Amino acid sequence: MAYLTKYSTTRISSQTSELLDRPLTADELALALKTSKTGKSPGPDGLPVRYYKIYTAILSPHLLTAYNDLAEGQPLPTQSLCANITILPKEGKDTDLCSSYRPISLLNCDLKLFAKILAERLKPFLPALVHADQVGFVPGREARDNTMRTLQLMHHARRSSQELALLSTDAEKAFDRVDWDFISLSLIRIGLGPHLRAWIGALYGDATARVCVNGVFTAPFPIRNGTRQGCPLSPLLFVLTLEPFLEAIRLNSDISGVQVGPQHHKVAAYADDLLFFVTKPEVSLPAIMVAFRDYGRLTNLKINYLKSHILNVSVPDSRAQALKPYFAFTWAADKIKYLGIWLSSQSSHLFRDNFPPLLTLIQRDLANWNYPHISWLGRIAVIKMNVQPRLLYLLQTIPIDLPRAFLASLRSLVATYIWRGKRPRTSYQVLTRSRAAGGLALPNFSLYHQACHLQRVVEWSREGSVKLWRAVEQELVGRPMTVLPWLPLKVGRKLANSSPYVGATYGIWRRIAIKFNLTSFPSPMTPVIHNEDYLPGLDPHSVRRLILTPTPRILHFFDASARRSLTDIMQDRHVSFLHSFHYAQIRHYFDGIPQQHQLGRPLWTFERICHSTGPLSHGLSLLYTLLRDATPAIPPPYMGKWESVLNITLSDDQWSKICELTHHCSTSSKLQETAYKVLSFWYRTPDIINRYDPQVPALCWRCNDALGDMLHIWWECQIIRPFWARIYDILKEFIDPLPEFSPAALLLHHNNYSIASYKRTLAIRVLNTAKALIPLFWRQLTPPPLTLWFTRMEELHSIEHLIFKASDRLPLYSEKWSNWVLRSSTTSFRALL
């Protein structure tokens, strides 16, 4: 307890403790159920989450009673605390060794729901209990906070001649080894109340597990230490338990870190992934080892020296060589891996060590997945699910300006995979549009690259940020980061060049700000302080006497495009001579600014994002969408082709509806693909083939009597027209009123129904299943048989039943398919076939 008394210095208030101790509620249980995914493997009792969702009304009162009784010391049944452990072999490891297997622990779902309620209660208070050095599992923090901070500290150490080495440590089974008594004492020390501690203690009372080997379970054995794998509360308990150790590092005067202004940076943590910023290594490294030893005695933490690495950044080579015999760490030659990125001893190697290897890996993976049976939409899904996450992680964690050649190579690689090395039938610009705008939402990685830097601009501009990387950058720049993006170009560029990473973001920001209509210069966001265009005789404190905000901007002096009076600005405060004098100075400054109409205008979308104070939810996606939608609104070429072919004019809203229905016509990706291919003129009709090869006749291959253009092949041909007539007769069974019998209605779903109501009908499935058959009989003389259409409808019916059942949406399934179940087996319906 003496260790915790010395190093566990942050406590919650008694009011917060009482708040956390209040009885668990039905709303909390309902939220835990709602956010729990179905389809996950259950624990030993075999009851999945879906069971608890279906019988919520019956089970919730009993679950809440049981959970709340635990606060009074009632134990959980032994069976509830048991876990099944399945072992998975690690790739490339010797299967004869136990260490070559990865254990996966499966807990009972009622226990996980209980832990999830406790975790959701504790999360809002975690940032106040855990220092900003720790970014793992703390709300509002992420891995890139540590990587960007590390890169800036490495740059600053080189520039300021600080002798820096990075120590990355690997803890052996850190989550599995932590001592329960230490967890309990840590929770007491931070001030958690008796009820919350009792609830957490119940989860770790008599825990047992059994291992499944070749389908056979071992006898249950007791678990005596470690946070439980699969438990939603586990990572939170771990970071709370590790915090005293990190505080011991911060308070240890023998451990020297990187000094940036008044701040001393010694360690960065993502859960148990620790990175130490070591200066004066002869003294700091032994002190770190002593700190690990002291903490390990109490918690069972053990460092794996062979997997722990040191990277020399700016320590003289002679001194680094002298240190090597005394420490068992692995000394890296020129780079180490931290949180998935390579940290290079030379900043110029950062791109080389991270991005080209990823491109090579992506190229290899796409070659391995180049199977002929993967559909067109399936290939786009591969890019979204596999390529995009890996690239976005690097783009966010390494804030550099990528060479155009790299982005061009990436685009070429993606296009080659999507089109199987053949000539594209739809342009890259169309594919990267949103689905509602007629595209397929293929990632535009150039825009994502810019969006990642815009995310940093937003974080610079917002008040009250406590991110450590931002504080480091502010010290390097020498001005508040809130003003940097909005300063005049000459001033901003000079300040941004203090760091290559700040300079990269600032350079991209200035390149795209006007291009995408993100802001204007000047702007309502232009700061009145720390601005060299402004009167040098007026210090920031004088302006803040007028505007009570850390960063007074032009927008604070305007209201609905009109300049605010001094009385309006001061409100109920006393107006002194100095206030009047400073206000007159500011007015004089405004009068000298060109483009006066920009000063009092409403904030544009990006400016509103920067000026708001709430959390930026899904920030990267929001900014990417903003950039994508800001590109010139030129409609896809196929829209004009359809209007010409059908001899009609469709509004933007009508096209948006058609695109929406095309992408949401069914859960079947095959039907979605055919629907989009028809919409985008993907199919090569005889008239198009004839343009490339005059040897091929331009006439329809079915009737050989008319030009084989898109409308004829899909609708007007005298052989295919009866097929659509019979489909239309079937359609009468499932929708009323009927859409008109026209290619616009049956091929494009252009009708008078609302999107929501039409999607609930069976008509959209009837028509898209019919459309999907025509390509199967593309060069044949006969139309598709209706018996095949019926078979495909039955297959779709079975698929959607499984999907809706697995996602607990059976009422919606019944709404859509009940008419089919009732009518498809009747004699009158079979007669239509």
Side-chain angles (χ1 to χ4, degrees), residues 486 517-526 554-556 558-562 595-609 611:
W486 314 98
N517 289 322
L518 302 177
T519 190
S520 61
F521 295 98
S523 158
M525 291 289 290
T526 299
I554 288 179
L555 64 89
H556 293 120
F558 285 81
D559 186 12
S561 78
Q595 300 181 352
Q596 291 278 316
H597 65 282
Q598 297 285 7
L599 303 185
R601 63 168 172 78
L603 294 180
W604 295 346
T605 302
F606 181 73
E607 294 170 334
R608 287 199 302 271
I609 295 172
H611 187 56

Side-chain angles (χ1 to χ4, degrees), residues 163 279-282 315-324 331:
E163 298 173 354
T279 56
K280 300 180 181 177
E282 292 87 352
V315 178
D317 288 339
S318 58
R319 289 174 55 195
Q321 291 295 332
L323 287 170
K324 288 184 180 181
W331 290 73

Side-chain angles (χ1 to χ4, degrees), residues 314-371:
S314 54
V315 178
D317 288 339
S318 58
R319 289 174 55 195
Q321 291 295 332
L323 287 170
K324 288 184 180 181
Y326 298 99
F327 299 97
F329 304 115
T330 302
W331 290 73
D334 60 351
K335 61 183 180 179
I336 60 172
K337 201 160 198 176
Y338 176 64
L339 297 182
I341 72 168
W342 286 105
L343 299 174
S344 308
S345 57
Q346 300 295 324
S347 59
S348 58
H349 295 169
L350 197 58
F351 169 79
R352 182 201 69 183
D353 291 339
N354 286 280
F355 288 93
L358 176 62
L359 191 65
T360 301
L361 182 61
I362 290 172
Q363 186 175 17
R364 186 197 69 187
D365 288 345
L366 293 183
N368 291 337
W369 298 329
N370 196 22
Y371 299 110

Side-chain angles (χ1 to χ4, degrees), residues 187-221:
L187 300 181
I188 295 173
R189 181 63 188 171
I190 64 176
L192 296 190
H195 287 181
L196 184 55
R197 296 203 313 271
W199 283 323
I200 295 173
L203 291 170
Y204 291 86
D206 295 309
T208 60
R210 53 182 187 168
V211 181
C212 181
V213 181
N214 295 329
V216 179
F217 284 102
T218 66
F221 53 88

